[in-house]
Amino acid sequence: MLDSIRLLNLPKILDDRGNLSFFENSNQIPFDIKRVYWIYDVPGGEQRGGHAYKDLQEVIIALSGSFDVVLHDGREEKRFTLNRSYYGIYIPKMIWRHLDNFSTNSLALIATDEHYNPDQYIRDFGQFKHLVNE
Ligand code: TYD
Protein backbone atom coordinates (compact mmCIF):
# COMPACT_ATOMS: atom_id res chain seq x y z
CA MET A 1 0.00 0.00 0.00
CA LEU A 2 2.96 2.33 0.46
CA ASP A 3 3.30 1.99 -3.34
CA SER A 4 0.20 4.16 -3.73
CA ILE A 5 1.91 7.09 -2.02
CA ARG A 6 3.28 9.55 -4.55
CA LEU A 7 5.62 12.48 -4.41
CA LEU A 8 4.09 15.20 -6.59
CA ASN A 9 6.40 17.60 -8.37
CA LEU A 10 4.21 20.69 -8.60
CA PRO A 11 4.59 23.31 -11.33
CA LYS A 12 7.31 25.84 -10.71
CA ILE A 13 7.29 29.20 -12.49
CA LEU A 14 10.78 30.55 -11.99
CA ASP A 15 11.01 34.32 -12.07
CA ASP A 16 13.64 36.87 -11.07
CA ARG A 17 10.87 38.58 -9.08
CA GLY A 18 10.31 35.42 -7.06
CA ASN A 19 9.04 31.95 -7.89
CA LEU A 20 5.47 30.73 -8.07
CA SER A 21 3.90 27.28 -7.69
CA PHE A 22 0.28 26.15 -7.72
CA PHE A 23 -2.17 23.28 -7.80
CA GLU A 24 -5.69 23.11 -9.13
CA ASN A 25 -8.62 20.88 -8.33
CA SER A 26 -7.94 17.39 -9.66
CA ASN A 27 -5.23 18.59 -12.08
CA GLN A 28 -1.90 18.54 -10.26
CA ILE A 29 -3.47 16.67 -7.36
CA PRO A 30 -5.59 13.57 -7.99
CA PHE A 31 -8.88 14.55 -6.30
CA ASP A 32 -11.42 17.34 -5.84
CA ILE A 33 -10.46 19.51 -2.90
CA LYS A 34 -13.08 20.06 -0.20
CA ARG A 35 -10.88 21.39 2.59
CA VAL A 36 -7.51 23.02 3.09
CA TYR A 37 -5.90 23.52 6.49
CA TRP A 38 -2.45 24.37 7.71
CA ILE A 39 -0.24 23.62 10.69
CA TYR A 40 2.14 26.27 11.99
CA ASP A 41 3.93 27.45 15.13
CA VAL A 42 4.87 23.87 15.97
CA PRO A 43 7.18 23.87 19.01
CA GLY A 44 10.51 22.07 18.58
CA GLY A 45 10.29 18.32 19.08
CA GLU A 46 6.48 18.16 18.69
CA GLN A 47 4.55 15.74 16.47
CA ARG A 48 1.25 16.21 14.67
CA GLY A 49 -1.08 13.61 13.27
CA GLY A 50 -0.69 10.09 14.54
CA HIS A 51 -3.77 8.61 12.90
CA ALA A 52 -5.22 7.20 9.67
CA TYR A 53 -8.33 8.21 7.75
CA LYS A 54 -10.95 5.64 6.81
CA ASP A 55 -11.95 7.27 3.53
CA LEU A 56 -10.06 10.50 2.92
CA GLN A 57 -7.17 11.38 0.61
CA GLU A 58 -4.78 14.23 1.17
CA VAL A 59 -1.79 16.10 -0.20
CA ILE A 60 0.72 17.61 2.22
CA ILE A 61 3.07 20.42 1.19
CA ALA A 62 5.82 22.14 3.17
CA LEU A 63 5.00 25.71 2.11
CA SER A 64 7.81 26.95 4.33
CA GLY A 65 10.65 25.31 6.26
CA SER A 66 10.81 21.54 6.51
CA PHE A 67 9.33 18.56 8.33
CA ASP A 68 9.09 14.80 7.93
CA VAL A 69 5.98 12.88 6.92
CA VAL A 70 6.12 9.36 8.36
CA LEU A 71 3.82 6.82 6.73
CA HIS A 72 2.89 3.29 7.71
CA ASP A 73 0.67 0.86 5.81
CA GLY A 74 0.39 -1.64 8.63
CA ARG A 75 3.45 -3.55 7.46
CA GLU A 76 6.22 -1.08 6.78
CA GLU A 77 7.13 2.50 7.50
CA LYS A 78 8.48 5.15 5.15
CA ARG A 79 9.80 8.61 6.06
CA PHE A 80 9.72 11.51 3.61
CA THR A 81 11.42 14.83 4.27
CA LEU A 82 9.58 17.77 2.72
CA ASN A 83 11.73 20.88 2.39
CA ARG A 84 10.67 22.52 -0.88
CA SER A 85 7.36 24.28 -1.47
CA TYR A 86 6.92 22.68 -4.91
CA TYR A 87 6.78 19.11 -3.64
CA GLY A 88 3.57 17.55 -2.41
CA ILE A 89 3.08 14.14 -0.96
CA TYR A 90 -0.11 12.34 -1.96
CA ILE A 91 -1.48 10.01 0.71
CA PRO A 92 -4.47 7.76 -0.04
CA LYS A 93 -6.96 6.58 2.56
CA MET A 94 -6.01 4.01 5.22
CA ILE A 95 -2.37 5.02 5.67
CA TRP A 96 -1.19 5.75 9.20
CA ARG A 97 0.71 9.03 9.23
CA HIS A 98 2.37 11.49 11.50
CA LEU A 99 4.45 14.63 10.98
CA ASP A 100 7.58 15.38 12.99
CA ASN A 101 11.00 17.02 12.83
CA PHE A 102 9.47 20.46 12.17
CA SER A 103 11.96 23.25 11.53
CA THR A 104 11.46 26.67 13.06
CA ASN A 105 8.74 28.63 11.23
CA SER A 106 7.69 25.64 9.12
CA LEU A 107 4.27 25.73 7.53
CA ALA A 108 2.44 22.55 6.51
CA LEU A 109 -0.44 22.90 4.04
CA ILE A 110 -2.86 19.98 3.75
CA ALA A 111 -5.53 19.66 1.04
CA THR A 112 -8.13 16.90 1.40
CA ASP A 113 -11.15 15.58 -0.47
CA GLU A 114 -13.45 15.59 2.59
CA HIS A 115 -14.73 18.05 5.15
CA TYR A 116 -13.53 17.67 8.72
CA ASN A 117 -15.27 14.71 10.32
CA PRO A 118 -14.00 13.09 13.53
CA ASP A 119 -15.63 9.80 12.43
CA GLN A 120 -13.05 9.59 9.62
CA TYR A 121 -10.21 9.11 12.10
CA ILE A 122 -8.59 5.89 13.29
CA ARG A 123 -6.52 6.99 16.26
CA ASP A 124 -5.46 3.61 17.61
CA PHE A 125 -2.51 2.04 15.78
CA GLY A 126 -3.45 -1.47 16.94
CA GLN A 127 -6.93 -1.06 15.50
CA PHE A 128 -5.46 0.33 12.27
CA LYS A 129 -3.13 -2.66 11.89
CA HIS A 130 -6.00 -5.03 12.53
CA LEU A 131 -8.18 -3.34 9.89
CA VAL A 132 -5.53 -3.28 7.14
CA ASN A 133 -4.30 -6.79 7.74
CA GLU A 134 -7.65 -8.53 8.04
P1 TYD B 1 -6.29 16.79 14.41
O1 TYD B 1 -6.72 16.38 13.05
O2 TYD B 1 -6.43 15.80 15.52
O3 TYD B 1 -4.80 17.34 14.35
P2 TYD B 1 -3.46 16.51 14.08
O4 TYD B 1 -3.81 15.46 13.08
O5 TYD B 1 -2.50 17.49 13.54
O6 TYD B 1 -3.00 15.98 15.38
O7 TYD B 1 -7.10 18.13 14.79
C1 TYD B 1 -6.81 18.88 15.95
C2 TYD B 1 -8.06 19.65 16.33
O8 TYD B 1 -8.43 20.57 15.31
C3 TYD B 1 -9.27 18.77 16.59
O9 TYD B 1 -9.92 19.28 17.75
C4 TYD B 1 -10.17 19.00 15.42
C5 TYD B 1 -9.77 20.33 14.88
N1 TYD B 1 -9.83 20.39 13.41
C6 TYD B 1 -10.87 21.05 12.79
O10 TYD B 1 -11.79 21.60 13.44
N2 TYD B 1 -10.89 21.12 11.42
C7 TYD B 1 -9.93 20.55 10.67
O11 TYD B 1 -9.98 20.65 9.42
C8 TYD B 1 -8.87 19.83 11.32
C9 TYD B 1 -7.78 19.15 10.55
C10 TYD B 1 -8.87 19.79 12.69
Side-chain angles (χ1 to χ4, degrees), residues 73-85:
D73 65 0
R75 291 183 197 88
E76 53 171 333
E77 182 181 281
K78 215 167 175 178
R79 178 177 287 267
F80 293 85
T81 298
L82 292 180
N83 56 11
R84 293 282 182 266
S85 60

Side-chain angles (χ1 to χ4, degrees), residues 39 60-69 79-83 89 98-103 106-110:
I39 295 172
I60 302 179
I61 299 169
L63 278 190
S64 176
S66 67
F67 53 83
D68 291 353
V69 181
R79 178 177 287 267
F80 293 85
T81 298
L82 292 180
N83 56 11
I89 181 157
H98 80 259
L99 278 53
D100 66 16
N101 206 17
F102 286 89
S103 70
S106 54
L107 173 58
L109 185 83
I110 298 111

Side-chain angles (χ1 to χ4, degrees), residues 35 37 39 48-49 51 53 97 116 121 123:
R35 175 169 55 113
Y37 63 96
I39 295 172
R48 296 298 311 228
H51 50 69
Y53 297 111
R97 55 82 152 170
Y116 174 71
Y121 286 67
R123 293 191 178 273

Side-chain angles (χ1 to χ4, degrees), residues 49-55 93-97 117-132:
H51 50 69
Y53 297 111
K54 292 175 192 163
D55 191 14
K93 66 178 182 178
M94 288 303 281
I95 296 285
W96 187 269
R97 55 82 152 170
N117 177 1
D119 295 340
Q120 276 282 2
Y121 286 67
I122 303 168
R123 293 191 178 273
D124 181 87
F125 188 63
Q127 185 198 1
F128 167 73
K129 270 181 99 166
H130 177 74
L131 285 170
V132 289

